[in-house]
Amino acid sequence: MGENLAVDGQAGTGRRGRSERGGASARRVARGGGGPGAQQTYIRRRIKPYEVLDEESLSLIETNADRVLEEIGIEFRDDAEALQLWKDAGADVRGERVHFPKGLCRELLKTAPSQFIQQARNSERSVQIGGDATVFAPVYGPPFVRDLDGNRRYATIEDFRNLVRLAYRAPSIHHSGGTVCEPVDVPVNKRHLDMVLAHMTLSDKPFMGSVTAPERAEDTVEMCRILFGEKFVDENTVLINLINANSPMVFDETMLGAAKVYARNNQATIITPFILAGAMSPVTVAGTLTQVLAEVLAGAAFTQLVRPGAPVVFGTFASSISMQSGAPTFGTPEPALVSYGAAQLARRLGLPFRTGGSLCASKTTDAQAAYESANTLNSTVLAGTNFVLHGAGWLEGGLVSSFDKFIMDVDQLAMSQKLAEGVDLSENGQAMDAIREVGPGSHYLGCSHTQANFQTAFYRSIIADNNSFEQWQAEGEKTAPQRANELARRWLESYEAPPIDPGIAEGLEDFVARKKESMPDAFT
């Protein structure tokens, strides 16, 4: 990785993190719950993805998507360059609407990689996107937080930094994410600088770039050149970026501008139709999948027009809505079926896949939040998702980043990681020596195999209370959110930033300062 990286090949978790790699901390990680600083690598799934569509069904949806592309078309708004690229590629461009000859998008996508590595400044934190890998990233985008004192309020840059710190400490979070909350106390035209700087300096995990304007995407790439070195950025993927379709069937100039910047610089984009079914797509699963596939084909193929070989991910964010109020709903069966089906379509295209997370509509960390998030996360993992945005902290339909729920979700992510490991069929996993030793009518508690494996045999939650009623009562009758709140406070109090080369840190801070000074504040 060269001298441009501050902690090449090192854990980068500070003195506390290094001292905890052995002993009790190592045992906690092996059990699945983990300890702060003792990180888990991205998931290498050993379970097959769950599939809901057979070959005939997949072919039908693909045929329908081709018809949408050819007969109805996709709009590329306010971007003359994009329209010219499509015209030169052989598409039928009528005004801002592009009609695609059958097979054009699929042909263009042959240059897109089926998997790639997103490099982190600490090489041990780099992640694979695609194949049998699953990467968990935090919540993205909420303007509000529910803080550690229980207040729901607008997010600040310090909230943003604290969420980055928690994501860094969390063993089951593999990725620092992007806009973990929207810091409204910083001008709109400058906040991307502070957010990217926080990801670069407060964590050594991979992170996402700004997409709110092409020039902000350019700033992100330039900051990466300072962090990693110009040559390294030109030759590697160090950013992954969320490009949302303005469903139904529109890409606007903001998203197109950011997509062009990242694709030209060989950085990854996630082309994601943002779907509230019934409002932004048909009410049916098959109709939604048809529209999702058409939008992704057009958007992902566009990145290959900009730069053949640029990494691109098949994304989908699909929710149902209440047909009474129009409000989004989560954890329901229909979005799960969309996720399963979209994952199959992505694999047939040979693209990495993004969906899901720990989504809920609940206003607080209650049973509704738990059930809806668990339902969404389970289908996300079982679908074979490669990149999971909104893995931890999502509340209130994505309006709120919750500190308590962040920790509760982290626990569930670690549990999902254990599930994804599948069944151990090694000699130890078969446990024949235990069965022989115990024989009929006895028990396994004291046998040699149990004694050798008891510390790592079963996942142990960092949040759940499995003690007796009397012990729970004596310890203050604490609820799961209360225990999560205490753990979040401890993680933040004991946080130590990963080391970074002082010259690189100074270069980043100088870049941010100069960019801020070059323009007046803007809050719209």
Side-chain angles (χ1 to χ4, degrees):
M1 305 282 274
E3 293 182 353
N4 292 317
L5 297 188
V7 285
D8 182 23
Q10 302 301 312
T13 54
R15 292 185 296 277
R16 179 180 177 89
R18 287 193 288 272
S19 66
E20 287 190 348
R21 282 186 219 164
S25 178
R27 290 192 292 273
R28 284 196 298 272
V29 174
R31 283 196 301 264
Q39 298 292 323
Q40 294 173 298
T41 61
Y42 63 86
I43 298 173
R44 297 171 178 86
R45 293 187 312 276
R46 296 184 177 88
I47 57 174
K48 292 182 178 180
Y50 182 70
E51 299 188 338
V52 297
L53 298 173
D54 58 20
E55 176 63 32
E56 182 179 359
S57 303
L58 289 165
S59 296
L60 176 63
I61 290 169
E62 289 171 337
T63 298
N64 287 344
D66 287 341
R67 291 177 59 192
V68 169
L69 289 170
E70 187 170 17
E71 298 171 14
I72 301 171
I74 306 289
E75 289 195 3
F76 285 71
R77 290 185 178 170
D78 299 319
D79 194 319
E81 181 187 19
L83 295 171
Q84 189 61 51
L85 285 170
W86 279 119
K87 187 176 293 185
D88 294 344
D92 179 12
V93 179
R94 309 175 197 171
E96 293 187 322
R97 188 172 299 192
V98 181
H99 297 258
F100 307 84
K102 184 177 180 180
L104 173 60
C105 292
R106 292 176 186 278
E107 185 64 29
L108 290 169
L109 283 171
K110 288 180 179 179
T111 58
S114 59
Q115 63 185 56
F116 58 92
I117 299 295
Q118 185 186 355
Q119 302 286 348
R121 73 174 173 95
N122 175 356
S123 60
E124 291 185 0
R125 304 280 189 264
S126 297
V127 294
Q128 176 183 311
I129 309 293
D132 63 355
T134 294
V135 173
F136 289 137
V139 62
Y140 185 107
F144 299 99
V145 295
R146 188 169 287 278
D147 64 24
L148 289 170
D149 295 322
N151 300 310
R152 182 191 185 274
R153 54 173 175 75
Y154 279 107
T156 67
I157 190 61
E158 191 56 26
D159 294 320
F160 185 98
R161 291 168 181 149
N162 278 334
L163 287 165
V164 171
R165 291 177 180 116
L166 287 179
Y168 169 67
R169 299 298 303 272
S172 58
I173 294 282
H174 315 114
H175 200 280
S176 196
T179 308
V180 290
C181 64
E182 189 75 36
V184 299
D185 59 334
V186 182
V188 170
N189 60 329
K190 299 179 180 181
R191 65 181 61 152
H192 68 287
L193 298 164
D194 289 321
M195 292 191 288
V196 173
L197 182 65
H199 283 300
M200 289 180 165
T201 58
L202 301 180
S203 176
D204 61 4
K205 296 180 180 181
F207 56 90
M208 303 176 74
S210 176
V211 297
T212 52
E215 58 270 23
R216 296 168 197 168
E218 294 279 9
D219 287 344
T220 305
V221 173
E222 190 58 39
M223 290 176 73
C224 284
R225 292 192 176 111
I226 297 171
L227 180 65
F228 291 95
E230 186 169 350
K231 186 173 186 292
F232 190 87
V233 172
D234 290 341
E235 296 176 353
N236 294 275
T237 299
V238 300
L239 288 165
I240 191 167
N241 312 280
L242 182 62
I243 304 297
N244 281 330
N246 191 357
S247 302
M249 296 172 285
V250 171
F251 286 93
D252 62 40
E253 70 277 13
T254 300
M255 292 291 98
L256 290 171
K260 286 189 290 187
V261 169
Y262 289 122
R264 284 194 178 115
N265 287 281
N266 200 35
Q267 302 306 307
T269 52
I270 310 170
I271 305 299
T272 300
F274 187 88
I275 299 291
L276 299 179
M280 299 154 74
S281 76
V283 295
T284 63
V285 171
T288 295
L289 282 171
T290 296
Q291 183 181 309
V292 164
L293 179 57
E295 291 176 358
V296 171
L297 280 168
F302 176 70
T303 68
Q304 302 307 293
L305 286 179
V306 175
R307 178 167 173 166
V312 62
V313 176
F314 184 129
T316 184
F317 179 95
S319 167
S320 52
I321 63 169
S322 166
M323 300 309 291
Q324 287 72 44
S325 69
T329 57
F330 300 93
T332 52
E334 295 83 8
L337 292 170
V338 171
S339 292
Y340 289 131
Q344 290 182 257
L345 293 166
R347 285 190 288 272
R348 284 163 70 90
L349 269 179
L351 294 179
F353 179 63
R354 171 259 161 159
T355 195
S358 301
L359 311 182
C360 67
S362 182
K363 312 307 177 285
T364 186
T365 48
D366 58 6
Q368 178 184 342
Y371 279 121
E372 291 177 353
S373 295
N375 284 344
T376 309
L377 181 60
N378 286 341
S379 62
T380 298
V381 173
L382 293 177
T385 306
N386 300 118
F387 188 81
V388 181
L389 203 53
H390 312 305
W394 169 292
L395 203 61
E396 203 177 315
L399 288 175
V400 170
S401 292
S402 164
F403 284 82
D404 294 351
K405 187 168 182 290
F406 190 100
I407 299 297
M408 296 175 70
D409 290 338
V410 161
D411 186 42
Q412 294 300 303
L413 297 182
M415 193 178 299
S416 296
Q417 184 145 358
K418 187 74 171 179
L419 173 68
E421 291 175 0
V423 178
D424 176 13
L425 293 175
S426 67
E427 184 175 347
N428 181 68
Q430 294 174 57
M432 289 299 296
D433 54 341
I435 297 171
R436 289 191 182 94
E437 179 183 340
V438 172
S442 187
H443 64 76
Y444 288 85
L445 290 175
C447 79
S448 300
H449 184 270
T450 300
Q451 293 297 308
N453 288 277
F454 80 95
Q455 292 177 326
T456 60
F458 305 119
Y459 178 83
R460 182 174 175 181
S461 171
I462 59 174
I463 296 300
D465 186 305
N466 299 302
N467 297 318
S468 67
F469 173 80
E470 290 76 15
Q471 185 172 347
W472 171 75
Q473 193 173 45
E475 292 176 353
E477 302 182 358
K478 295 173 183 174
T479 63
Q482 288 174 323
R483 293 190 292 272
N485 185 285
E486 291 178 356
L487 185 55
R489 291 177 185 272
R490 289 199 301 271
W491 283 14
L492 289 174
E493 287 168 2
S494 60
Y495 165 85
E496 293 183 28
I500 185 170
D501 182 280
I504 292 175
E506 184 179 346
L508 290 168
E509 290 167 2
D510 179 66
F511 177 86
V512 169
R514 285 188 289 106
K515 290 295 294 188
K516 285 185 174 182
E517 289 171 2
S518 71
M519 51 187 163
D521 292 351
F523 283 92
T524 57

